[in-house]
mmCIF file of all heavy atoms in Angstrom:
data_model
loop_
_atom_site.group_PDB
_atom_site.id
_atom_site.type_symbol
_atom_site.label_atom_id
_atom_site.label_comp_id
_atom_site.label_asym_id
_atom_site.label_seq_id
_atom_site.Cartn_x
_atom_site.Cartn_y
_atom_site.Cartn_z
ATOM 1 N N ALA A 906 22.082 11.824 17.873
ATOM 2 C CA ALA A 906 21.416 10.848 18.742
ATOM 3 C C ALA A 906 19.908 10.884 18.529
ATOM 4 O O ALA A 906 19.248 9.851 18.451
ATOM 5 C CB ALA A 906 21.753 11.128 20.205
ATOM 6 N N ALA A 907 19.362 12.103 18.408
ATOM 7 C CA ALA A 907 17.914 12.231 18.200
ATOM 8 C C ALA A 907 17.515 11.649 16.855
ATOM 9 O O ALA A 907 16.499 10.975 16.719
ATOM 10 C CB ALA A 907 17.514 13.699 18.273
ATOM 11 N N SER A 908 18.366 11.902 15.824
ATOM 12 C CA SER A 908 18.069 11.387 14.486
ATOM 13 C C SER A 908 18.094 9.870 14.472
ATOM 14 O O SER A 908 17.230 9.218 13.898
ATOM 15 C CB SER A 908 19.087 11.942 13.499
ATOM 16 O OG SER A 908 18.937 11.338 12.245
ATOM 17 N N THR A 909 19.106 9.270 15.125
ATOM 18 C CA THR A 909 19.235 7.815 15.152
ATOM 19 C C THR A 909 18.100 7.187 15.928
ATOM 20 O O THR A 909 17.534 6.178 15.520
ATOM 21 C CB THR A 909 20.593 7.411 15.785
ATOM 22 O OG1 THR A 909 21.626 8.033 15.034
ATOM 23 C CG2 THR A 909 20.765 5.906 15.770
ATOM 24 N N SER A 910 17.725 7.806 17.070
ATOM 25 C CA SER A 910 16.664 7.228 17.883
ATOM 26 C C SER A 910 15.317 7.347 17.192
ATOM 27 O O SER A 910 14.418 6.564 17.420
ATOM 28 C CB SER A 910 16.620 7.904 19.256
ATOM 29 O OG SER A 910 16.300 9.275 19.111
ATOM 30 N N ALA A 911 15.182 8.351 16.292
ATOM 31 C CA ALA A 911 13.917 8.525 15.586
ATOM 32 C C ALA A 911 13.746 7.478 14.496
ATOM 33 O O ALA A 911 12.635 7.174 14.097
ATOM 34 C CB ALA A 911 13.852 9.921 14.982
ATOM 35 N N GLN A 912 14.852 6.928 13.988
ATOM 36 C CA GLN A 912 14.782 5.912 12.941
ATOM 37 C C GLN A 912 14.640 4.527 13.570
ATOM 38 O O GLN A 912 15.371 4.168 14.482
ATOM 39 C CB GLN A 912 16.038 5.937 12.074
ATOM 40 C CG GLN A 912 16.068 7.083 11.089
ATOM 41 C CD GLN A 912 17.245 6.960 10.163
ATOM 42 O OE1 GLN A 912 18.365 6.850 10.620
ATOM 43 N NE2 GLN A 912 16.989 6.994 8.872
ATOM 44 N N GLN A 913 13.706 3.766 13.032
ATOM 45 C CA GLN A 913 13.498 2.413 13.531
ATOM 46 C C GLN A 913 14.563 1.496 12.950
ATOM 47 O O GLN A 913 14.889 1.557 11.781
ATOM 48 C CB GLN A 913 12.109 1.922 13.126
ATOM 49 C CG GLN A 913 11.815 0.517 13.594
ATOM 50 C CD GLN A 913 10.445 0.057 13.138
ATOM 51 O OE1 GLN A 913 9.697 0.804 12.530
ATOM 52 N NE2 GLN A 913 10.121 -1.184 13.433
ATOM 53 N N MET A 914 15.125 0.618 13.783
ATOM 54 C CA MET A 914 16.062 -0.391 13.305
ATOM 55 C C MET A 914 15.267 -1.556 12.748
ATOM 56 O O MET A 914 14.399 -2.097 13.426
ATOM 57 C CB MET A 914 16.970 -0.861 14.441
ATOM 58 C CG MET A 914 18.033 0.127 14.846
ATOM 59 S SD MET A 914 19.180 0.539 13.499
ATOM 60 C CE MET A 914 19.930 -1.044 13.170
ATOM 61 N N CYS A 915 15.551 -1.938 11.507
ATOM 62 C CA CYS A 915 14.862 -3.062 10.869
ATOM 63 C C CYS A 915 15.745 -4.295 10.987
ATOM 64 O O CYS A 915 16.852 -4.326 10.466
ATOM 65 C CB CYS A 915 14.610 -2.760 9.399
ATOM 66 S SG CYS A 915 13.649 -1.249 9.127
ATOM 67 N N VAL A 916 15.255 -5.281 11.707
ATOM 68 C CA VAL A 916 16.023 -6.509 11.900
ATOM 69 C C VAL A 916 15.117 -7.717 11.697
ATOM 70 O O VAL A 916 13.912 -7.650 11.917
ATOM 71 C CB VAL A 916 16.652 -6.584 13.315
ATOM 72 C CG1 VAL A 916 17.671 -5.484 13.509
ATOM 73 C CG2 VAL A 916 15.591 -6.522 14.397
ATOM 74 N N THR A 917 15.725 -8.815 11.247
ATOM 75 C CA THR A 917 15.022 -10.092 11.244
ATOM 76 C C THR A 917 15.745 -10.969 12.249
ATOM 77 O O THR A 917 16.965 -11.079 12.229
ATOM 78 C CB THR A 917 15.056 -10.759 9.854
ATOM 79 O OG1 THR A 917 16.416 -10.882 9.430
ATOM 80 C CG2 THR A 917 14.282 -9.944 8.833
ATOM 81 N N ASP A 918 14.976 -11.571 13.140
ATOM 82 C CA ASP A 918 15.596 -12.352 14.209
ATOM 83 C C ASP A 918 15.890 -13.789 13.797
ATOM 84 O O ASP A 918 16.463 -14.552 14.557
ATOM 85 C CB ASP A 918 14.712 -12.341 15.469
ATOM 86 C CG ASP A 918 13.296 -12.820 15.197
ATOM 87 O OD1 ASP A 918 13.060 -13.432 14.127
ATOM 88 O OD2 ASP A 918 12.422 -12.583 16.048
ATOM 89 N N GLY A 919 15.495 -14.164 12.580
ATOM 90 C CA GLY A 919 15.744 -15.521 12.124
ATOM 91 C C GLY A 919 14.755 -16.534 12.653
ATOM 92 O O GLY A 919 14.750 -17.686 12.248
ATOM 93 N N ASP A 920 13.898 -16.104 13.570
ATOM 94 C CA ASP A 920 12.885 -16.990 14.140
ATOM 95 C C ASP A 920 11.600 -16.804 13.336
ATOM 96 O O ASP A 920 10.670 -16.144 13.758
ATOM 97 C CB ASP A 920 12.665 -16.645 15.616
ATOM 98 C CG ASP A 920 11.688 -17.600 16.281
ATOM 99 O OD1 ASP A 920 11.463 -18.687 15.724
ATOM 100 O OD2 ASP A 920 11.146 -17.244 17.344
ATOM 101 N N TYR A 921 11.609 -17.373 12.110
ATOM 102 C CA TYR A 921 10.522 -17.115 11.172
ATOM 103 C C TYR A 921 9.186 -17.635 11.654
ATOM 104 O O TYR A 921 9.095 -18.707 12.251
ATOM 105 C CB TYR A 921 10.832 -17.747 9.811
ATOM 106 C CG TYR A 921 11.954 -17.082 9.079
ATOM 107 C CD1 TYR A 921 13.118 -17.783 8.780
ATOM 108 C CD2 TYR A 921 11.868 -15.757 8.695
ATOM 109 C CE1 TYR A 921 14.161 -17.167 8.111
ATOM 110 C CE2 TYR A 921 12.904 -15.137 8.027
ATOM 111 C CZ TYR A 921 14.046 -15.845 7.736
ATOM 112 O OH TYR A 921 15.067 -15.234 7.087
ATOM 113 N N GLU A 922 8.166 -16.839 11.380
ATOM 114 C CA GLU A 922 6.797 -17.300 11.596
ATOM 115 C C GLU A 922 6.607 -18.576 10.784
ATOM 116 O O GLU A 922 7.011 -18.649 9.627
ATOM 117 C CB GLU A 922 5.841 -16.209 11.108
ATOM 118 C CG GLU A 922 4.387 -16.594 11.171
ATOM 119 C CD GLU A 922 3.499 -15.505 10.569
ATOM 120 O OE1 GLU A 922 3.896 -14.331 10.609
ATOM 121 O OE2 GLU A 922 2.421 -15.848 10.070
ATOM 122 N N PRO A 923 6.016 -19.611 11.371
ATOM 123 C CA PRO A 923 5.867 -20.866 10.624
ATOM 124 C C PRO A 923 4.927 -20.701 9.435
ATOM 125 O O PRO A 923 4.030 -19.860 9.464
ATOM 126 C CB PRO A 923 5.283 -21.833 11.660
ATOM 127 C CG PRO A 923 4.651 -20.959 12.683
ATOM 128 C CD PRO A 923 5.459 -19.697 12.722
ATOM 129 N N PRO A 924 5.155 -21.482 8.379
ATOM 130 C CA PRO A 924 4.260 -21.396 7.224
ATOM 131 C C PRO A 924 2.852 -21.839 7.588
ATOM 132 O O PRO A 924 2.660 -22.682 8.470
ATOM 133 C CB PRO A 924 4.892 -22.346 6.202
ATOM 134 C CG PRO A 924 5.777 -23.239 6.991
ATOM 135 C CD PRO A 924 6.218 -22.457 8.189
ATOM 136 N N SER A 925 1.874 -21.256 6.931
ATOM 137 C CA SER A 925 0.486 -21.646 7.158
ATOM 138 C C SER A 925 0.304 -23.122 6.816
ATOM 139 O O SER A 925 1.009 -23.663 5.958
ATOM 140 C CB SER A 925 -0.453 -20.814 6.276
ATOM 141 O OG SER A 925 -0.307 -19.457 6.559
ATOM 142 N N GLU A 926 -0.665 -23.743 7.458
ATOM 143 C CA GLU A 926 -0.941 -25.142 7.167
ATOM 144 C C GLU A 926 -1.630 -25.297 5.813
ATOM 145 O O GLU A 926 -1.596 -26.370 5.211
ATOM 146 C CB GLU A 926 -1.806 -25.753 8.271
ATOM 147 C CG GLU A 926 -1.072 -25.863 9.607
ATOM 148 C CD GLU A 926 -1.909 -26.528 10.680
ATOM 149 O OE1 GLU A 926 -3.025 -27.003 10.358
ATOM 150 O OE2 GLU A 926 -1.435 -26.593 11.827
ATOM 151 N N THR A 927 -2.265 -24.228 5.342
ATOM 152 C CA THR A 927 -2.910 -24.267 4.032
ATOM 153 C C THR A 927 -2.108 -23.444 3.039
ATOM 154 O O THR A 927 -1.490 -22.432 3.403
ATOM 155 C CB THR A 927 -4.348 -23.719 4.106
ATOM 156 O OG1 THR A 927 -4.318 -22.397 4.677
ATOM 157 C CG2 THR A 927 -5.218 -24.618 4.968
ATOM 158 N N ASP A 928 -2.105 -23.890 1.787
ATOM 159 C CA ASP A 928 -1.363 -23.213 0.727
ATOM 160 C C ASP A 928 -2.301 -22.412 -0.168
ATOM 161 O O ASP A 928 -3.507 -22.653 -0.213
ATOM 162 C CB ASP A 928 -0.626 -24.237 -0.141
ATOM 163 C CG ASP A 928 0.604 -24.795 0.557
ATOM 164 O OD1 ASP A 928 0.981 -24.263 1.621
ATOM 165 O OD2 ASP A 928 1.187 -25.749 0.036
ATOM 166 N N GLN A 929 -1.723 -21.468 -0.859
ATOM 167 C CA GLN A 929 -2.428 -20.753 -1.923
ATOM 168 C C GLN A 929 -1.731 -21.094 -3.237
ATOM 169 O O GLN A 929 -0.509 -21.226 -3.285
ATOM 170 C CB GLN A 929 -2.401 -19.243 -1.676
ATOM 171 C CG GLN A 929 -1.000 -18.665 -1.490
ATOM 172 C CD GLN A 929 -1.014 -17.182 -1.240
ATOM 173 O OE1 GLN A 929 -1.802 -16.457 -1.833
ATOM 174 N NE2 GLN A 929 -0.131 -16.709 -0.353
ATOM 175 N N ILE A 930 -2.515 -21.283 -4.274
ATOM 176 C CA ILE A 930 -1.956 -21.575 -5.588
ATOM 177 C C ILE A 930 -2.079 -20.321 -6.438
ATOM 178 O O ILE A 930 -3.161 -19.765 -6.609
ATOM 179 C CB ILE A 930 -2.671 -22.761 -6.254
ATOM 180 C CG1 ILE A 930 -2.474 -24.027 -5.413
ATOM 181 C CG2 ILE A 930 -2.130 -22.982 -7.663
ATOM 182 C CD1 ILE A 930 -3.231 -25.230 -5.909
ATOM 183 N N ILE A 931 -0.943 -19.871 -6.947
ATOM 184 C CA ILE A 931 -0.890 -18.628 -7.716
ATOM 185 C C ILE A 931 -0.435 -18.939 -9.133
ATOM 186 O O ILE A 931 0.594 -19.600 -9.333
ATOM 187 C CB ILE A 931 0.082 -17.626 -7.061
ATOM 188 C CG1 ILE A 931 -0.369 -17.316 -5.633
ATOM 189 C CG2 ILE A 931 0.195 -16.355 -7.887
ATOM 190 C CD1 ILE A 931 0.630 -16.559 -4.815
ATOM 191 N N ASP A 932 -1.201 -18.491 -10.111
ATOM 192 C CA ASP A 932 -0.814 -18.632 -11.513
ATOM 193 C C ASP A 932 0.105 -17.487 -11.903
ATOM 194 O O ASP A 932 -0.184 -16.318 -11.623
ATOM 195 C CB ASP A 932 -2.047 -18.628 -12.420
ATOM 196 C CG ASP A 932 -2.855 -19.912 -12.316
ATOM 197 O OD1 ASP A 932 -2.332 -20.898 -11.758
ATOM 198 O OD2 ASP A 932 -4.007 -19.931 -12.783
ATOM 199 N N LEU A 933 1.213 -17.836 -12.524
ATOM 200 C CA LEU A 933 2.159 -16.843 -13.042
ATOM 201 C C LEU A 933 2.280 -17.063 -14.544
ATOM 202 O O LEU A 933 3.231 -17.678 -15.039
ATOM 203 C CB LEU A 933 3.523 -16.993 -12.357
ATOM 204 C CG LEU A 933 3.560 -16.778 -10.841
ATOM 205 C CD1 LEU A 933 4.913 -17.157 -10.280
ATOM 206 C CD2 LEU A 933 3.206 -15.347 -10.489
ATOM 207 N N PRO A 934 1.298 -16.569 -15.314
ATOM 208 C CA PRO A 934 1.276 -16.854 -16.752
ATOM 209 C C PRO A 934 2.498 -16.340 -17.504
ATOM 210 O O PRO A 934 2.887 -16.916 -18.516
ATOM 211 C CB PRO A 934 -0.010 -16.166 -17.229
ATOM 212 C CG PRO A 934 -0.389 -15.217 -16.159
ATOM 213 C CD PRO A 934 0.147 -15.766 -14.886
ATOM 214 N N GLU A 935 3.121 -15.277 -17.000
ATOM 215 C CA GLU A 935 4.312 -14.762 -17.674
ATOM 216 C C GLU A 935 5.471 -15.751 -17.624
ATOM 217 O O GLU A 935 6.377 -15.717 -18.451
ATOM 218 C CB GLU A 935 4.730 -13.402 -17.089
ATOM 219 C CG GLU A 935 5.216 -13.429 -15.649
ATOM 220 C CD GLU A 935 4.108 -13.280 -14.609
ATOM 221 O OE1 GLU A 935 2.971 -13.723 -14.873
ATOM 222 O OE2 GLU A 935 4.396 -12.744 -13.531
ATOM 223 N N PHE A 936 5.432 -16.667 -16.634
ATOM 224 C CA PHE A 936 6.453 -17.706 -16.512
ATOM 225 C C PHE A 936 5.950 -19.072 -16.983
ATOM 226 O O PHE A 936 6.686 -20.050 -16.904
ATOM 227 C CB PHE A 936 6.914 -17.818 -15.051
ATOM 228 C CG PHE A 936 7.531 -16.559 -14.508
ATOM 229 C CD1 PHE A 936 6.844 -15.772 -13.608
ATOM 230 C CD2 PHE A 936 8.800 -16.167 -14.893
ATOM 231 C CE1 PHE A 936 7.400 -14.611 -13.089
ATOM 232 C CE2 PHE A 936 9.368 -15.006 -14.386
ATOM 233 C CZ PHE A 936 8.666 -14.225 -13.481
ATOM 234 N N HIS A 937 4.669 -19.135 -17.368
ATOM 235 C CA HIS A 937 4.035 -20.385 -17.807
ATOM 236 C C HIS A 937 3.975 -21.425 -16.686
ATOM 237 O O HIS A 937 4.061 -22.626 -16.937
ATOM 238 C CB HIS A 937 4.774 -20.978 -19.029
ATOM 239 C CG HIS A 937 4.774 -20.075 -20.218
ATOM 240 N ND1 HIS A 937 3.784 -20.071 -21.161
ATOM 241 C CD2 HIS A 937 5.655 -19.119 -20.607
ATOM 242 C CE1 HIS A 937 4.045 -19.166 -22.081
ATOM 243 N NE2 HIS A 937 5.169 -18.562 -21.758
ATOM 244 N N ILE A 938 3.839 -20.947 -15.443
ATOM 245 C CA ILE A 938 3.794 -21.867 -14.305
ATOM 246 C C ILE A 938 2.720 -21.438 -13.305
ATOM 247 O O ILE A 938 2.258 -20.296 -13.313
ATOM 248 C CB ILE A 938 5.153 -21.934 -13.550
ATOM 249 C CG1 ILE A 938 5.531 -20.554 -12.985
ATOM 250 C CG2 ILE A 938 6.252 -22.494 -14.432
ATOM 251 C CD1 ILE A 938 6.734 -20.570 -12.060
ATOM 252 N N SER A 939 2.350 -22.383 -12.442
ATOM 253 C CA SER A 939 1.604 -22.058 -11.233
ATOM 254 C C SER A 939 2.510 -22.404 -10.060
ATOM 255 O O SER A 939 3.391 -23.270 -10.165
ATOM 256 C CB SER A 939 0.285 -22.827 -11.162
ATOM 257 O OG SER A 939 0.530 -24.204 -11.025
ATOM 258 N N LEU A 940 2.287 -21.732 -8.955
ATOM 259 C CA LEU A 940 3.163 -21.871 -7.793
ATOM 260 C C LEU A 940 2.319 -22.045 -6.542
ATOM 261 O O LEU A 940 1.364 -21.302 -6.322
ATOM 262 C CB LEU A 940 4.043 -20.624 -7.672
ATOM 263 C CG LEU A 940 4.955 -20.501 -6.465
ATOM 264 C CD1 LEU A 940 6.032 -21.576 -6.494
ATOM 265 C CD2 LEU A 940 5.587 -19.116 -6.423
ATOM 266 N N SER A 941 2.674 -23.015 -5.727
ATOM 267 C CA SER A 941 1.982 -23.245 -4.465
ATOM 268 C C SER A 941 2.858 -22.748 -3.321
ATOM 269 O O SER A 941 4.005 -23.198 -3.172
ATOM 270 C CB SER A 941 1.698 -24.749 -4.308
ATOM 271 O OG SER A 941 1.142 -25.018 -3.051
ATOM 272 N N ILE A 942 2.329 -21.789 -2.541
ATOM 273 C CA ILE A 942 3.076 -21.270 -1.393
ATOM 274 C C ILE A 942 2.135 -21.163 -0.196
ATOM 275 O O ILE A 942 0.914 -21.091 -0.365
ATOM 276 C CB ILE A 942 3.703 -19.884 -1.689
ATOM 277 C CG1 ILE A 942 2.609 -18.853 -2.023
ATOM 278 C CG2 ILE A 942 4.750 -19.978 -2.776
ATOM 279 C CD1 ILE A 942 3.134 -17.429 -2.166
ATOM 280 N N PRO A 943 2.662 -21.158 1.030
ATOM 281 C CA PRO A 943 1.802 -20.995 2.212
ATOM 282 C C PRO A 943 1.004 -19.699 2.140
ATOM 283 O O PRO A 943 1.470 -18.698 1.585
ATOM 284 C CB PRO A 943 2.804 -20.975 3.370
ATOM 285 C CG PRO A 943 3.990 -21.719 2.863
ATOM 286 C CD PRO A 943 4.076 -21.379 1.400
ATOM 287 N N GLU A 944 -0.184 -19.714 2.706
ATOM 288 C CA GLU A 944 -1.073 -18.544 2.632
ATOM 289 C C GLU A 944 -0.496 -17.298 3.279
ATOM 290 O O GLU A 944 -0.851 -16.186 2.908
ATOM 291 C CB GLU A 944 -2.439 -18.875 3.255
ATOM 292 C CG GLU A 944 -3.334 -19.680 2.335
ATOM 293 C CD GLU A 944 -4.756 -19.777 2.855
ATOM 294 O OE1 GLU A 944 -4.975 -19.519 4.053
ATOM 295 O OE2 GLU A 944 -5.637 -20.122 2.049
ATOM 296 N N ASN A 945 0.400 -17.464 4.267
ATOM 297 C CA ASN A 945 0.954 -16.284 4.924
ATOM 298 C C ASN A 945 2.228 -15.764 4.249
ATOM 299 O O ASN A 945 2.836 -14.816 4.727
ATOM 300 C CB ASN A 945 1.213 -16.563 6.410
ATOM 301 C CG ASN A 945 2.178 -17.713 6.648
ATOM 302 O OD1 ASN A 945 2.376 -18.569 5.784
ATOM 303 N ND2 ASN A 945 2.774 -17.757 7.826
#
C-alpha cells in the first residue's frame, strides 16, 4: 500500500488543453519538410 501510494498515477483525462492561437514552424531537414504546429 505504501509503495502504491508513493507512485503517482499518470492519467490523461481526454480534456486536452486547446491548441495555441499562434503556430510555430519547425524545419525537419531530415524529412525534407517544414511543419506548422501550435506553439504549446
Side-chain angles (χ1 to χ4, degrees):
S908 172
T909 303
S910 63
Q912 284 187 306
Q913 180 182 357
M914 286 299 297
C915 303
V916 295
T917 55
D918 55 15
D920 184 18
Y921 291 117
E922 175 184 332
S925 301
E926 293 183 6
T927 55
D928 285 350
Q929 55 180 321
I930 298 175
I931 301 169
D932 288 346
L933 298 172
E935 66 272 31
F936 299 106
H937 299 272
I938 61 171
S939 66
L940 175 66
S941 175
I942 61 173
E944 281 191 342
N945 59 339

